[in-house]
Amino acid sequence: AQSVSQHNHHVILSEAASLELGCNYSYGGTVNLFWYVQYPGQHLQLLLKYFSGDPLVKGIKGFEAEFIKSKFSFNLRKPSVQWSDTAEYFCAVIPSGGSYIPTFGRGTSLIVHP
Amino acid sequence: EAQVTQNPRYLITVTGKKLTVTCSQNMNHEYMSWYRQDPGLGLRQIYYSMNVEVTDKGDVPEGYKVSRKEKRNFPLILESPSPNQTSLYFCASSLSRQGGNGYTFGSGTRLTVV
């Protein structure tokens, strides 16, 4: 079974700082990759996704992620965070075959100080 | 507006009293699923459904039941709730089980079992 590891459980930044959240997965086959954001008290919303093609994907609100197949990684980045980016971020993996059961990481809580 | 609607948003119940959490989507999505979200554990899939009358277990199905009699509805049933089922529950749908354009999540149901 696949697994997803988000190394940073809590991240605290000041506004305008750069952000990188790590996501590594373990699965031997082809995967579809996602980052979701959950603002306080709200449901999860899709930030960006990668299925194939250019490994650098751009999402909403200035976020981007890079798929590095050799490292089984899909790290999320943003050059300059804002206070409104305070939220919990989840990486998710769906194998492109078999059961297609998604696996979510445990989440990273990001707090941005104004 | 395309959405996944869950009811109720909040529910407090007693051990052993059967309850149903409803989930409905208006996007004609084939794939629907239920997750529970617990602190430090991220999201874990309970059950999923690939189409009408087709359901299957996710990672943590014990103590839960689902049904998919119509494409738009996917209720979650707890026949005999226990305190360890106290959690935040999300219903999600997508065009396909591969994730399509990502999952659309409902607003969540916070369940407390005393």
Side-chain angles (χ1 to χ4, degrees):
Chain A
Q2 70 268 20
S3 65
V4 176
S5 177
Q6 290 182 240
H7 311 296
N8 317 100
H9 298 300
H10 301 279
V11 174
I12 301 174
L13 295 172
S14 298
E15 273 194 320
S18 64
L19 170 72
E20 180 159 3
L21 301 182
C23 173
N24 285 88
Y25 67 92
S26 65
Y27 183 73
T30 306
V31 294
N32 298 330
L33 297 156
F34 305 80
W35 274 99
Y36 285 86
V37 60
Q38 186 178 29
Y39 298 105
Q42 295 190 26
H43 59 279
L44 278 78
Q45 301 171 47
L46 182 66
L47 265 182
L48 48 78
K49 65 183 189 289
Y50 172 80
F51 280 23
S52 63
D54 188 345
L56 184 61
V57 293
K58 295 193 184 298
I60 60 172
K61 305 187 180 189
F63 285 92
E64 65 178 32
E66 185 176 13
F67 171 51
I68 303 179
K69 190 174 181 180
S70 61
K71 294 185 178 180
F72 297 89
S73 70
F74 190 55
N75 292 354
L76 181 71
R77 299 196 291 249
K78 186 170 184 178
S80 175
V81 295
Q82 300 171 308
W83 174 78
S84 58
D85 292 324
T86 293
E88 191 143 12
Y89 294 81
F90 293 92
C91 180
V93 168
I94 301 178
S96 295
S99 69
Y100 293 95
I101 292 180
T103 300
F104 284 80
R106 295 185 176 190
T108 297
S109 173
L110 171 66
I111 295 174
V112 180
H113 289 301
Chain B
E1 181 190 349
Q3 60 185 358
V4 175
T5 303
Q6 282 180 241
N7 280 298
R9 289 292 306 275
Y10 300 92
L11 179 60
I12 302 175
T13 189
V14 296
T15 299
K17 185 175 181 183
K18 181 180 177 180
L19 66 91
T20 300
V21 184
T22 63
C23 173
S24 180
Q25 50 94 4
N26 62 359
M27 296 164 282
N28 202 36
H29 282 171
E30 289 189 351
Y31 185 87
M32 297 184 74
S33 57
W34 276 102
Y35 296 86
R36 60 179 288 173
Q37 183 179 18
D38 301 290
L41 296 177
L43 277 84
R44 293 178 292 169
Q45 192 178 59
I46 303 170
Y47 268 94
Y48 65 95
S49 168
M50 290 189 282
N51 215 324
V52 175
E53 302 291 1
V54 181
T55 64
D56 211 342
K57 297 177 181 179
D59 291 326
V60 288
E62 293 78 20
Y64 304 95
K65 284 174 59 177
V66 292
S67 70
R68 188 95 182 269
K69 294 185 172 60
E70 306 164 281
K71 198 169 188 177
R72 61 184 292 127
N73 295 325
F74 190 46
L76 179 69
I77 302 155
L78 284 72
E79 294 271 3
S80 182
S82 62
N84 65 11
Q85 291 178 297
T86 292
S87 186
L88 178 58
Y89 291 87
F90 288 101
C91 180
S93 73
S94 70
L95 207 54
S96 68
R97 61 182 179 169
Q98 291 93 330
N101 289 321
Y103 293 109
T104 301
F105 283 84
S107 297
T109 295
R110 187 166 290 282
L111 171 66
T112 302
V113 183
V114 297

